[in-house]
Amino acid sequence: MQLTKKNLEERLNHVYDAIVIGGGAGGLSAGIYLQRYRLSSLIIDKGKARSFWMQELHNYLGLPPDTPGRTLLQQGKNHYGSLDGDFLNGYVEEVVDEGDTFAIRVKAGRQNSTYPVFRSKYLIAASGIIDILPPLDDMQNVYDYAGYNLHVCLICDGYEMIDKQCGLFVGSEGSIETAFPLSWFTPYITVFTQGRFEVSEEMRNKLREHGYRLVETPIKKFLGEHHQMTGVELADGSVVELEMGLISMGSRYHNTYLEALNLERDGGNLVTDKMGRTSHPRIFAIGDLKVGINQVVVAASDGALAATQIWRDIRRVSGARRWEENLVLPV
Amino acid sequence: MQLTKKNLEERLNHVYDAIVIGGGAGGLSAGIYLQRYRLSSLIIDKGKARSFWMQELHNYLGLPPDTPGRTLLQQGKNHYGSLDGDFLNGYVEEVVDEGDTFAIRVKAGRQNSTYPVFRSKYLIAASGIIDILPPLDDMQNVYDYAGYNLHVCLICDGYEMIDKQCGLFVGSEGSIETAFPLSWFTPYITVFTQGRFEVSEEMRNKLREHGYRLVETPIKKFLGEHHQMTGVELADGSVVELEMGLISMGSRYHNTYLEALNLERDGGNLVTDKMGRTSHPRIFAIGDLKVGINQVVVAASDGALAATQIWRDIRRVSGARRWEENLVLPV
């Protein structure tokens, strides 16, 4: 059920089989599988998963290719609720490993916040990432286009960019490298650094050799209407016309609650086995937090795998149930 | 486009980037990703994927939990077609590794069959498995209930069996072991061997200790109506009432076309890396053919991963595209 400040009290003495942090595609899929495995679960969601911002999911098997990400999330939340899973809107502040259980402290409610502590045997970290967007004075101007034709994922949206005039918005020299796989879809690439870092001579030469333009003047604003970006106006008043944009400025990981647990990482991502288990035997990581490609269908699969492994673990400890009425009594 | 005997001729001189064998969840998801990566692909489907038989998909994120498997497949096929992927109904008879390409011989058409040979750089084996059903004289009697409340997948349908009187239909002593994980959902288990093999004393004792019933008399027929199985009638005329059934008789692998290629296996399943690559660098295996759990959402994710890796391979060989008009001419 949906937990609120009013009814969550009764869950504070319960030890859940698994608490899932994050109610995006991975977390919801995990929750659906957990509940169908007769395990008790709680999803704690801070809201606005990365897929919430996707205007159209073009590559998710089973859904029409213009389905908004939020429709998938709402369907998943309804599905999970129909299986009697608990769902709480809140922000996880701390996870303490108590040995057999985790104590998970949540900030619930933006005003007059309370800080309930929930307990579980297993933890699934499914809180994902969020893309860093170009920092402009008026961020609403960025939000007007991000997720429409100002994309953040080459795998998801490269197809939409085929042979289009494309702006690549980067935050570091490393992310300029995205231009080269992007050229698979379109060679008409203009790289925008906003002058935020120094571009090496080597990279300048490489861009020049490929014919890609480099613009270092800060961006004043994106131009366009009806969520269709048509170019950028620079600080010097000049305009660069574009048909598409790809933002490649890195991501923020929603994982501060994991910091004290010293899990094995590869860069910013958590290392897991094939079932999603991290270096901690009772913590699983799924979706964008783990090593792998960041795709909705992959996160959904990750959720199924992690829930299955947790079920196997718990089932093996509890052993098989007997049909009591049929037992032959010892003579 | 949909290939037919009439129009397939024009594709025989084409080398596809990837041919996908199998048009189930994994193959369709792979095809959608391949086409969105601007790779040319052909899906060859013999029809009636395992998910085609699923009356209700209860655990696929994004779809209402009463969605028939065939609805998912039809949506996926439409999606793939909208991306201009080629689709052929046919049965793959042979795959020959020619070094840089594969030659794939297909039987097309049940009557007046033709045997066209298609070529591709990469191969995705996505042809899955099919469950072995209890062999009765009247197989239509089995089909009447299979996929309704006579299930084949404990992970998918255990939830439907909670505390129900459940028949477990097995084909070997090994598959009797399914009774113990099944007991997580219900302990009211009756194992049916149909007398097809000898049950060891050890297993008899184990079943007895758990209170599970063992029936070795052959089954005459399933009882029920409107696709709801309510029990079985045995050869001796006696009736065992049931509310649910689980068939655990193993699977047939649709992989004879791979036999000559000597791919690494674990039991019947192909061993792959995280992206689905088999021991052959240009053959990927996804879904139920590979090692892992047999779930629709996992197969869909597998398809995304395999297509992504093939794109990376091909892209790296071809190198980045240049914006020709912008190239600085050498002095």
Side-chain angles (χ1 to χ4, degrees):
Chain A
M1 69 179 181
Q2 179 74 42
L3 299 190
T4 64
K5 278 194 224 174
K6 286 180 187 163
N7 66 11
L8 65 78
E9 201 76 24
E10 58 183 284
R11 293 297 203 266
L12 298 183
N13 294 318
H14 179 65
V15 176
Y16 287 98
D17 288 314
I19 286 179
V20 182
I21 303 180
L28 288 168
S29 183
I32 289 165
Y33 271 80
L34 288 167
Q35 290 297 125
R36 289 185 59 84
Y37 284 133
R38 297 180 73 214
L39 299 173
S40 65
S41 72
L42 165 65
I43 295 177
I44 303 170
D45 185 36
K46 62 156 188 37
K48 299 186 179 166
R50 192 176 185 224
S51 46
F52 177 84
W53 300 104
M54 298 174 190
Q55 298 306 318
E56 294 183 344
L57 265 181
H58 291 292
N59 55 15
Y60 190 84
L61 181 74
L63 295 179
D66 57 354
T67 306
R70 65 185 72 189
T71 301
L72 174 92
L73 296 174
Q74 189 58 55
Q75 173 61 48
K77 196 174 165 186
N78 294 347
H79 194 159
Y80 177 67
S82 76
L83 295 162
D84 296 324
D86 282 351
F87 195 99
L88 175 70
N89 297 99
Y91 180 81
V92 172
E93 297 219 319
E94 191 185 32
V95 172
V96 175
D97 184 358
E98 302 178 317
D100 291 333
T101 56
F102 295 105
I104 295 167
R105 186 160 56 89
V106 182
K107 179 180 177 181
R110 293 205 177 175
Q111 293 169 334
N112 304 319
S113 302
T114 58
Y115 294 85
V117 175
F118 297 91
R119 283 188 165 73
S120 67
K121 296 178 193 166
Y122 286 81
L123 177 67
I124 299 181
S127 38
I129 62 172
I130 195 73
D131 305 277
I132 297 171
L133 299 178
L136 299 189
D137 288 341
D138 174 15
M139 284 307 291
Q140 185 56 47
N141 173 252
V142 183
Y143 303 145
D144 278 348
Y145 304 106
Y148 292 88
N149 71 336
L150 183 54
H151 298 290
V152 294
C153 173
L154 182 60
I155 288 178
C156 312
D157 300 306
Y159 185 80
E160 267 63 46
M161 302 179 196
I162 293 173
D163 290 340
K164 294 277 199 288
Q165 284 285 347
C166 186
L168 176 64
F169 303 91
V170 301
S172 67
E173 172 133 343
S175 57
I176 298 180
E177 291 287 348
T178 306
F180 306 104
L182 170 59
S183 74
W184 176 264
F185 297 100
T186 179
Y188 310 124
I189 298 170
T190 305
V191 177
F192 294 86
T193 66
Q194 299 190 258
R196 289 162 53 83
F197 59 93
E198 197 58 46
V199 181
S200 70
E201 267 316 304
E202 189 187 350
M203 181 59 82
R204 286 176 193 278
N205 287 334
K206 197 170 167 190
L207 291 174
R208 202 177 296 122
E209 284 162 13
H210 285 80
Y212 308 155
R213 297 190 294 192
L214 176 64
V215 174
E216 297 177 273
T217 312
I219 295 170
K220 187 172 169 191
K221 63 176 179 182
F222 288 98
L223 304 173
E225 56 180 5
H226 304 311
H227 301 299
Q228 291 301 301
M229 188 269 297
T230 57
V232 293
E233 183 181 329
L234 302 177
D236 62 13
S238 63
V239 167
V240 181
E241 291 186 2
L242 299 169
E243 296 168 292
M244 286 279 167
L246 178 66
I247 297 169
S248 180
M249 306 189 70
S251 315
R252 287 196 186 87
Y253 289 75
H254 296 305
N255 62 2
T256 49
Y257 60 87
L258 290 175
E259 265 167 25
L261 293 160
N262 292 316
L263 302 176
E264 189 191 345
R265 295 191 191 203
D266 178 358
N269 293 97
L270 292 163
V271 173
T272 64
D273 68 11
K274 279 191 171 184
M275 300 303 278
R277 200 193 301 264
T278 68
S279 54
H280 187 302
R282 292 182 295 109
I283 301 179
F284 289 70
I286 65 177
D288 297 354
L289 281 187
K290 72 173 219 312
V291 176
I293 68 169
N294 298 344
Q295 289 288 291
V296 172
V297 74
V298 174
S301 170
D302 288 348
L305 295 173
T308 300
Q309 190 56 49
I310 290 170
W311 173 54
R312 288 173 174 167
D313 281 14
I314 290 177
R315 196 185 78 213
R316 281 166 192 168
V317 169
S318 74
R321 287 162 78 199
R322 289 175 163 77
W323 186 346
E324 299 292 343
E325 298 82 348
N326 266 359
L327 289 178
V328 179
L329 296 176
V331 184
Chain B
M1 69 179 181
Q2 179 75 41
L3 300 190
T4 64
K5 278 194 225 176
K6 288 179 187 163
N7 66 10
L8 64 77
E9 201 76 24
E10 57 183 286
R11 293 299 202 265
L12 298 183
N13 293 318
H14 179 66
V15 176
Y16 287 97
D17 289 313
I19 286 180
V20 182
I21 303 179
L28 288 167
S29 182
I32 289 165
Y33 271 80
L34 288 167
Q35 290 297 124
R36 289 185 60 84
Y37 284 131
R38 298 181 71 215
L39 299 172
S40 65
S41 72
L42 165 65
I43 295 176
I44 303 170
D45 186 36
K46 63 156 189 36
K48 298 186 179 164
R50 192 177 186 222
S51 44
F52 177 85
W53 300 105
M54 297 174 190
Q55 298 305 319
E56 295 182 344
L57 266 181
H58 291 293
N59 55 16
Y60 190 83
L61 181 75
L63 295 179
D66 57 355
T67 305
R70 64 185 71 189
T71 301
L72 174 91
L73 296 174
Q74 189 57 55
Q75 173 60 48
K77 196 174 165 186
N78 294 347
H79 193 159
Y80 177 67
S82 75
L83 295 162
D84 295 323
D86 282 350
F87 195 99
L88 175 70
N89 298 99
Y91 179 80
V92 172
E93 297 218 319
E94 191 184 31
V95 172
V96 176
D97 184 358
E98 302 178 316
D100 290 332
T101 56
F102 296 104
I104 296 168
R105 186 161 56 89
V106 182
K107 178 181 177 180
R110 293 205 177 176
Q111 291 168 336
N112 305 318
S113 303
T114 59
Y115 295 85
V117 175
F118 297 91
R119 283 187 166 73
S120 66
K121 298 178 193 165
Y122 285 81
L123 177 67
I124 299 181
S127 39
I129 61 172
I130 195 71
D131 306 278
I132 298 171
L133 300 178
L136 300 189
D137 288 343
D138 174 15
M139 284 307 291
Q140 186 55 49
N141 173 252
V142 182
Y143 303 145
D144 279 348
Y145 305 106
Y148 293 88
N149 70 337
L150 184 54
H151 298 290
V152 294
C153 173
L154 183 60
I155 287 178
C156 313
D157 300 306
Y159 185 80
E160 267 62 46
M161 303 179 195
I162 293 174
D163 290 340
K164 294 276 199 288
Q165 284 286 345
C166 186
L168 176 65
F169 303 92
V170 300
S172 66
E173 172 135 342
S175 57
I176 298 180
E177 291 286 347
T178 306
F180 306 104
L182 171 58
S183 75
W184 176 263
F185 297 101
T186 179
Y188 310 123
I189 298 170
T190 305
V191 177
F192 294 86
T193 67
Q194 299 190 258
R196 289 161 53 83
F197 58 94
E198 197 58 45
V199 181
S200 70
E201 268 315 303
E202 189 187 350
M203 181 58 82
R204 286 176 194 278
N205 287 334
K206 197 170 167 191
L207 291 173
R208 202 178 296 121
E209 284 162 14
H210 286 80
Y212 309 155
R213 297 190 293 191
L214 176 64
V215 174
E216 296 176 275
T217 311
I219 294 170
K220 188 173 168 192
K221 64 176 178 182
F222 288 97
L223 304 173
E225 55 181 4
H226 304 310
H227 300 300
Q228 292 301 301
M229 187 269 296
T230 56
V232 293
E233 184 181 327
L234 302 177
D236 62 13
S238 63
V239 167
V240 181
E241 292 186 1
L242 299 169
E243 295 168 292
M244 285 279 167
L246 179 66
I247 297 169
S248 180
M249 305 187 72
S251 315
R252 285 195 189 88
Y253 289 75
H254 296 305
N255 61 1
T256 49
Y257 60 87
L258 290 174
E259 265 167 26
L261 293 160
N262 292 317
L263 304 176
E264 188 190 345
R265 295 192 193 203
D266 179 357
N269 293 97
L270 292 163
V271 173
T272 64
D273 69 12
K274 279 191 172 185
M275 300 303 277
R277 200 192 301 264
T278 67
S279 54
H280 187 301
R282 291 182 295 111
I283 301 179
F284 289 70
I286 64 178
D288 297 355
L289 280 187
K290 72 172 220 311
V291 176
I293 69 169
N294 298 344
Q295 290 287 291
V296 172
V297 75
V298 173
S301 170
D302 288 348
L305 295 173
T308 300
Q309 189 56 49
I310 290 170
W311 174 53
R312 288 173 176 168
D313 282 13
I314 290 177
R315 197 185 77 213
R316 282 166 192 168
V317 169
S318 74
R321 287 162 77 200
R322 289 174 164 77
W323 186 347
E324 299 293 342
E325 298 82 348
N326 266 359
L327 288 179
V328 179
L329 296 175
V331 183

